[in-house]
Amino acid sequence: MACDYDDGFCQNKFLLEPREAGFHDLLFLLFSSDIGKRRFIESIEEHKQTDFKGRWLIFISVIMQKVFLYGKKPMDQLGNMLELWLNLPSSNGGFFKLLLNLLKGNVVKPERSSAIFTSVLANMDTRVELNRNIRPGDRKYKAFLSLMAAKLSYENEAFIKSTVKDHWEMEFLGFYDFWNDYLQRSSTHAFMFRDTKTDPNLVVVAFRGTRPFDADDWLADVDLSWYELQGVGKIHRGFMKALGLQRNGWPNQPDNDHRQYAYYLLRDMLKAIVKKNEKAKFVITGHSLGAALAILFVGVLALQEEELLLDRLEGVYTFGQPRVGDRQFGKFMLDKLRQHNVKYLRYVYCNDIVPRLPYDDATLMYKHFGPCLYFNSCYKGQVLWEEPNKNYFSLLWMLPKNINAIWELIRSFIIPFTEGRDYKESWLLRGLRIVGLVIPGLSAHSPQDYDNCTRLGTLPLSLHQPEDSWDELHQD
């Protein structure tokens, strides 16, 4: 099978190509330990033998990818239709004016590029104002600002610009639509702004995460494929491609200067900013897929030895981040983060399924690294090496997860009375929490709970990772 990339840049690989997997290929996968015989798998010799558990995980991954491949068009249509319906009231001056326009036959169709058009996620958590009780210099400030930026990244350019300038009273630097060579279209989005309330000014880069009805985003999340870079480790293929992986790896400059790739454009823009202002600092953030891109962006900076940017990088704040690499990649990253004194905080809310993917086991070798700021459903936090129930699908955790999902649904009606009107949940989010009774980790991934974690969450005074974590990661 021909590889879609010139993978001479990597010393090892494990690639799944679901488009080439037929029914018989998948069936034989379960009964043959030699996965090298399967035409939809490309791997080097040492990884061609695997046990049933490993083959079962590959089987599930390929099945899910095929579902998203075939479901791409209906998912897009459903998402577009839902967003149009959700934005009809605001486009027509309110619900009652919408009813009046319906009677007159003069309904105004929402404009997707307008500053009042909101995504499905923004209709779940409608808060756009910064909490005035969390001010620059406060312990929570940068994490809260990062979360608000990560949440805002799901919106269109006009909405983001209006929010940053008019609501936050900060400087909007740009919204970017980046090219993905693998998909042969633009698929990665990010925006930048300057927090003019801090001294020196703080630049924030926020990557957009997985949109609920975007099949390509979900394809990247469920893919198990990886490339191994010498001296760095194994890194998730889909996330690297979304960041701008070139066909010969990560050269200093992109192969095609006419395309905008996420890593290269953001790197060059940040270089220009920090060279112009010797006191400028920046932080990187994202939720879900955006969180994976945020930490990998720093990984490529380290790979290319961008010392200036690493020295000016103040922190990486991720929310609901999936695993992005193996144990060796974790060692590489922790060494670089410590060397440059970069703060890396990975927020995980309760039973969120996404931080528990891809699997962390002997077959797949994906590992988290750095401190996990774990919050339970009462928003009480603790610093852990790994979130509880690290691979999600556990019979022992089935009953506790479902009981907790019931509590989250009940809490959605109680929290406005205990914490104030700002915490009132939309009926759309409550509907997702009902779905969460069946799939508990689904509703737990919504930005609403991560927003509440940064507003209401409590943490110990020290945010250092457990003492045994460094030694554990550096075990052979």
Side-chain angles (χ1 to χ4, degrees), residues 136-396:
D138 290 353
R139 186 166 177 254
K140 288 184 174 183
Y141 180 74
K142 287 173 184 171
F144 172 65
L145 182 63
S146 295
L147 181 278
M148 293 298 288
K151 189 174 71 170
L152 186 60
S153 68
Y154 288 97
E155 308 309 309
N156 66 59
E157 181 177 4
F159 187 96
I160 293 173
K161 185 176 182 179
S162 172
T163 300
V164 170
K165 294 178 65 177
D166 301 333
H167 294 268
W168 299 357
E169 298 178 345
M170 297 178 183
E171 183 183 357
F172 177 76
L173 297 179
F175 174 88
Y176 311 101
D177 191 4
F178 297 114
W179 184 258
N180 184 320
D181 263 349
Y182 177 65
L183 297 176
Q184 285 296 297
R185 66 173 180 85
S186 297
S187 68
T188 304
H189 301 81
F191 79 98
M192 293 175 60
F193 67 97
R194 194 191 317 268
D195 178 3
T196 50
K197 298 179 180 180
T198 60
D199 185 23
N201 294 339
L202 180 72
V203 174
V204 180
V205 180
F207 286 94
R208 177 182 291 178
T210 304
R211 289 161 292 182
F213 297 96
D214 191 311
D216 288 328
D217 287 350
W218 286 106
L219 275 168
D221 289 336
V222 301
D223 190 7
L224 303 180
S225 303
W226 48 260
Y227 288 120
E228 182 175 11
L229 278 61
Q230 187 171 6
V232 176
K234 300 180 179 70
I235 308 176
H236 192 285
R237 175 181 66 166
F239 299 153
M240 282 205 294
K241 288 181 176 179
L243 193 60
L245 179 68
Q246 302 295 289
R247 297 190 177 274
N248 59 341
W250 292 106
N252 189 54
Q253 295 298 329
D255 301 331
N256 188 342
D257 292 335
H258 300 293
R259 298 289 190 190
Q260 287 192 339
Y261 298 99
Y263 169 75
Y264 292 99
L265 180 62
L266 293 174
R267 178 200 64 182
D268 293 345
M269 293 189 66
L270 288 169
K271 271 187 178 180
I273 290 171
V274 300
K275 286 180 179 179
K276 186 176 180 180
N277 180 357
E278 63 180 16
K279 293 184 178 180
K281 294 277 190 176
F282 68 98
V283 299
I284 311 290
T285 187
H287 168 262
S288 191
L289 170 63
L293 298 180
I295 190 60
L296 278 183
F297 177 82
V298 180
V300 182
L301 288 179
L303 176 66
Q304 294 194 340
E305 298 181 345
E306 294 286 354
E307 302 296 317
L308 173 62
L309 289 180
L310 290 171
D311 286 337
R312 308 288 277 279
L313 173 60
E314 189 162 286
V316 186
Y317 297 85
T318 69
F319 305 89
Q321 176 201 313
R323 298 182 178 102
V324 298
D326 69 347
R327 184 185 298 272
Q328 184 182 355
F329 179 67
K331 294 181 191 178
F332 172 82
M333 288 299 296
L334 284 179
D335 285 338
K336 295 296 183 180
L337 293 171
R338 289 192 172 197
Q339 178 183 339
H340 295 276
N341 197 29
V342 176
K343 181 184 295 183
Y344 170 44
L345 298 179
R346 182 173 63 85
Y347 282 70
V348 176
Y349 168 72
C350 204
N351 292 317
D352 185 355
I353 187 174
V354 174
R356 295 164 168 92
L357 298 174
Y359 255 41
D360 173 359
D361 66 2
T363 301
L364 299 180
M365 299 170 290
Y366 282 98
K367 295 282 183 184
H368 276 309
F369 59 91
C372 167
L373 275 57
Y374 175 79
F375 294 83
N376 64 19
S377 56
C378 294
Y379 305 119
K380 183 178 180 180
Q382 53 185 317
V383 183
L384 303 175
W385 170 234
E386 185 70 77
E387 55 272 16
N389 187 26
K390 68 176 184 177
N391 284 329
Y392 186 78
F393 298 101
S394 168
L395 293 177
L396 292 176

Side-chain angles (χ1 to χ4, degrees), residues 114-157:
S114 76
I116 61 171
F117 190 93
T118 53
S119 70
V120 171
L121 291 177
N123 281 275
M124 290 185 183
D125 185 356
T126 59
R127 295 170 290 187
V128 295
E129 300 289 351
L130 298 179
N131 189 329
R132 297 185 182 277
N133 294 323
I134 305 176
R135 306 183 64 82
D138 290 353
R139 186 166 177 254
K140 288 184 174 183
Y141 180 74
K142 287 173 184 171
F144 172 65
L145 182 63
S146 295
L147 181 278
M148 293 298 288
K151 189 174 71 170
L152 186 60
S153 68
Y154 288 97
E155 308 309 309
N156 66 59
E157 181 177 4

